[in-house]
C-alpha cells in the first residue's frame, strides 16, 4: 500500500495499557485489563473500504496487512496468555469461505508468541451481521456464544474486527469470566465511535 493511501487512515495513538476510548467502552460492559484499537473506523474512507473488502469481498489477505500495522504499533508490558477471536456461525463461514479474523490473529499469535485457539469459542446460532442492523437494534441475544472447553487462570486477548456497541465482545467476555480466575483484554482492528 502506498504512503499516500496509508496517510488517509486514522491510526490510534493509544497504547495497550493506557486509558483509551475502547477500554472505557469495555469497562461499562465487563471487567477489562487493557484494550487497543488499530484505527478509527471512518464511515467514508479507506478504513471502511478495507474493512468491507476484508469481510464481504473475499479479500482475506487484508488481515495480513492489518496485522502488520498492528505489530508496528502494539507493545505489551504484560503479554496475554491466549488469543480468542469472535467466531462466525458455521453457515456464515461456509458462505464467506473464511473467518475475516483468522489471518490477523494467526499473525498476532506468531509474532508475540501467544497461543491462539480458533475453536475454543462457538457461536451457537446464526444472526444477522451487526453492521447490517439499525444501530438501535444491535442487541446480542443471550447465550449467543459458548466455550468448547474450560479456561482457567488465563489472561485472554479477545480479538474482533470493529468495536461499535461492544455487545458481541461483552457476551464473549462474560462467558470467559464465568471462571473468576480469568482476565480479559481486547484488541480490535477498528473502533467505530458511532
Amino acid at each position: 500500500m502506498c504512503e499516500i493511501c496509508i496517510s488517509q487512515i486514522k491510526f490510534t495513538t493509544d497504547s495497550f495499557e493506557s486509558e483509551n476510548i475502547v477500554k472505557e467502552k469495555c469497562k461499562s460492559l465487563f471487567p477489562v485489563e487493557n484494550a487497543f484499537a488499530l484505527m478509527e473506523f471512518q464511515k467514508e474512507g479507506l478504513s471502511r473500504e478495507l474493512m468491507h473488502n476484508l469481510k464481504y469481498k473475499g479479500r482475506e489477505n487484508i488481515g495480513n496487512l492489518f496485522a502488520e500495522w498492528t505489530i508496528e504499533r502494539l507493545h505489551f508490558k504484560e503479554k496475554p496468555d491466549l488469543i480468542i477471536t469472535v467466531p462466525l456461525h458455521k453457515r456464515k463461514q461456509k458462505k464467506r469461505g473464511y473467518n475475516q479474523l483468522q489471518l490477523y490473529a494467526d499473525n498476532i499469535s506468531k509474532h508475540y508468541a501467544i497461543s491462539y485457539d480458533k475453536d475454543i469459542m462457538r457461536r451457537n446460532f446464526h444472526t444477522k451481521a451487526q453492521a447490517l442492523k439499525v444501530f438501535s437494534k444491535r442487541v446480542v441475544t443471550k447465550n449467543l456464544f459458548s466455550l468448547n472447553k474450560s479456561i482457567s487462570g488465563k489472561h485472554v486477548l479477545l480479538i474482533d474486527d470493529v468495536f461499535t456497541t461492544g455487545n458481541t465482545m461483552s457476551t464473549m467476555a462474560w462467558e470467559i469470566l464465568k471462571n473468576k480466575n480469568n482476565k480479559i483484554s481486547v484488541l480490535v482492528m477498528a473502533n467505530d465511535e458511532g
Side-chain angles (χ1 to χ4, degrees), residues 68-91:
E68 181 183 311
W69 290 343
T70 300
I71 289 164
E72 290 171 2
R73 293 164 175 81
L74 177 61
H75 308 286
F76 296 112
K77 287 181 185 168
E78 181 188 330
K79 203 168 58 167
D81 305 307
L82 176 66
I83 291 172
I84 298 177
T85 55
V86 175
L88 293 179
H89 188 269
K90 288 177 185 176
R91 188 167 28 155

Side-chain angles (χ1 to χ4, degrees), residues 45-59:
L46 192 55
S47 65
R48 181 188 182 282
E49 186 177 336
L50 287 169
M51 194 64 68
H52 188 82
N53 279 294
L54 170 66
K55 292 178 76 167
Y56 307 114
K57 299 289 186 181
R59 298 289 307 278

Side-chain angles (χ1 to χ4, degrees), residues 153 176-183:
I176 294 162
L177 292 170
K178 284 179 181 176
N179 184 319
K180 297 191 185 330
N181 295 320
N182 293 327
K183 299 188 296 186

Side-chain angles (χ1 to χ4, degrees), residues 4-16:
I4 293 170
C5 290
I6 291 174
S7 70
Q8 295 176 42
I9 296 172
K10 188 177 175 188
F11 291 106
T12 64
T13 57
D14 302 319
S15 72
F16 183 66

Side-chain angles (χ1 to χ4, degrees), residues 83-85 87 99 102 106 116-121 148:
I83 291 172
I84 298 177
T85 55
N99 180 327
Q102 185 78 51
D106 280 340
Y116 170 36
D117 189 335
K118 66 181 187 304
D119 299 315
I120 201 166
M121 184 74 68
N148 290 320

